[in-house]
Amino acid sequence: MCRSHCLSQRINSHHSGFPKHSSMLDFLRTKKLQDRQLELPLSTGAERSCPLDSHCEPTRVHMERVLLFEGVQEVEVIEACQCNASPEECLRLPSLKTYFPDTPLEFTVDVGKCSSPAHARGGLFCAPTKFDGVLIKGPNGVEVVQTLENCEMKETCYRVSYVEYYYEIIHNSAGDREERLKEIDVGRCLGSCTSGNHCLLRDSQNGEKCLVWAEGASSHCVPHQYDTHTFKSRSGNVRTVFAIQKCKCGSY
């Protein structure tokens, strides 16, 4: 993670083989302790190393695989950071990630990221709306890496386009049977929703620091309204496909 004190040195995180953790929770707890150590000020009264209109962002990131009881998981490892200007518009920005580092299969992909305008209004934020994929060669065959193509200002819970194709059987004016390709934008819900968590106990010396949290009812970005598409399939059966029209925060 990059901090306000933007350090340029490499963060060494290599181990022999896979770093072992009992669970993803154990891995995240270990990482959180490391992050807290990084959050400590470099010296008393130390100033930000980035201007107020800039953010400390990663410049080199590679994907590292860790072995958990649940299997192998991929995590991002930041190697270096630098101060970058913060665009006022919602833009797709480059974000380079290296896969299989220090191996003959090392490959760097611009996966992309969305900017974070400081003066977003109306509860909107710069969110990913269009994706693509890149094929890379791995030790066990070809793998697909998802890349970001476009960003737009959206609410925290929003709908994105997701197209599916089907064969549809129709009859023309002469009564002849014809087969055509039917395109349906079934949509997907993306974004996050507040969980309703609240603080039960705060630090007596630092009122902004919460010591004990109470977890509220979970809330997810889920479909709210659907449209239906009914057609005759190749097999001759009538098929109905539901397409998401709107999304909202709620429970499954």
Side-chain angles (χ1 to χ4, degrees):
M1 182 177 292
C2 293
R3 305 295 182 184
S4 57
H5 300 287
C6 202
L7 305 177
S8 60
Q9 66 264 30
R10 179 189 178 97
I11 301 175
N12 188 6
S13 61
H14 290 285
H15 304 270
S16 58
F18 288 120
K20 292 188 177 181
H21 300 274
S22 60
S23 65
M24 178 58 81
L25 180 60
D26 179 46
F27 169 77
L28 293 174
R29 283 172 175 168
T30 304
K31 184 177 183 299
K32 188 173 183 180
L33 290 176
Q34 294 171 347
D35 290 343
R36 285 178 177 176
Q37 292 175 353
L38 290 174
E39 285 179 344
L40 296 176
L42 300 180
S43 62
T44 304
E47 297 180 356
R48 290 173 56 96
S49 58
C50 292
L52 292 177
D53 59 348
S54 299
H55 284 92
C56 186
E57 298 179 339
T59 55
R60 293 198 306 274
V61 176
H62 74 259
M63 303 304 294
E64 186 171 300
R65 299 190 173 192
V66 294
L67 181 59
L68 308 176
F69 284 151
E70 296 87 353
V72 177
Q73 303 287 334
E74 276 193 334
V75 295
E76 294 183 0
V77 177
I78 298 174
E79 298 183 353
C81 304
Q82 73 177 20
C83 297
N84 291 328
S86 302
E88 296 183 359
E89 304 86 8
C90 178
L91 302 172
R92 189 266 189 200
L93 302 176
S95 177
L96 303 180
K97 289 184 181 179
T98 300
Y99 294 81
F100 311 112
D102 302 323
T103 74
L105 299 175
E106 180 174 313
F107 193 81
T108 301
V109 180
D110 179 8
V111 297
K113 63 181 180 180
C114 292
S115 62
S116 301
H119 303 292
R121 296 179 179 177
L124 303 179
F125 73 111
C126 189
T129 56
K130 187 178 180 181
F131 301 91
D132 202 348
V134 174
L135 296 178
I136 63 173
K137 186 177 181 181
N140 300 301
V142 175
E143 299 185 12
V144 180
V145 175
Q146 181 175 275
T147 60
L148 174 62
E149 294 296 309
N150 188 54
C151 301
E152 297 177 14
M153 297 300 293
K154 295 287 185 179
E155 296 179 348
T156 55
C157 175
Y158 60 100
R159 180 195 187 275
V160 295
S161 175
Y162 190 88
V163 176
E164 292 182 352
Y165 293 94
Y166 300 89
Y167 284 113
E168 178 183 21
I169 302 301
I170 62 171
H171 291 83
N172 59 25
S173 56
D176 298 326
R177 183 177 184 270
E178 291 185 356
E179 182 179 278
R180 69 180 182 183
L181 194 63
K182 186 177 184 66
E183 178 182 291
I184 303 177
D185 182 1
V186 297
R188 287 290 185 270
C189 292
L190 291 182
S192 59
C193 301
T194 57
S195 62
N197 294 350
H198 59 280
C199 186
L200 296 179
L201 178 63
R202 294 189 178 275
D203 192 309
S204 59
Q205 297 180 349
N206 181 4
E208 296 182 356
K209 183 178 180 181
C210 184
L211 300 178
V212 180
W213 285 93
E215 185 174 349
S218 59
S219 181
H220 307 274
C221 185
V222 296
H224 175 47
Q225 292 182 2
Y226 292 91
D227 192 10
T228 57
H229 299 264
T230 302
F231 56 94
K232 183 176 287 187
S233 65
R234 255 182 175 178
S235 62
N237 297 322
V238 175
R239 181 167 186 173
T240 299
V241 174
F242 292 93
I244 299 171
Q245 293 300 305
K246 294 182 179 180
C247 302
K248 72 171 186 177
C249 291
S251 57
Y252 291 120

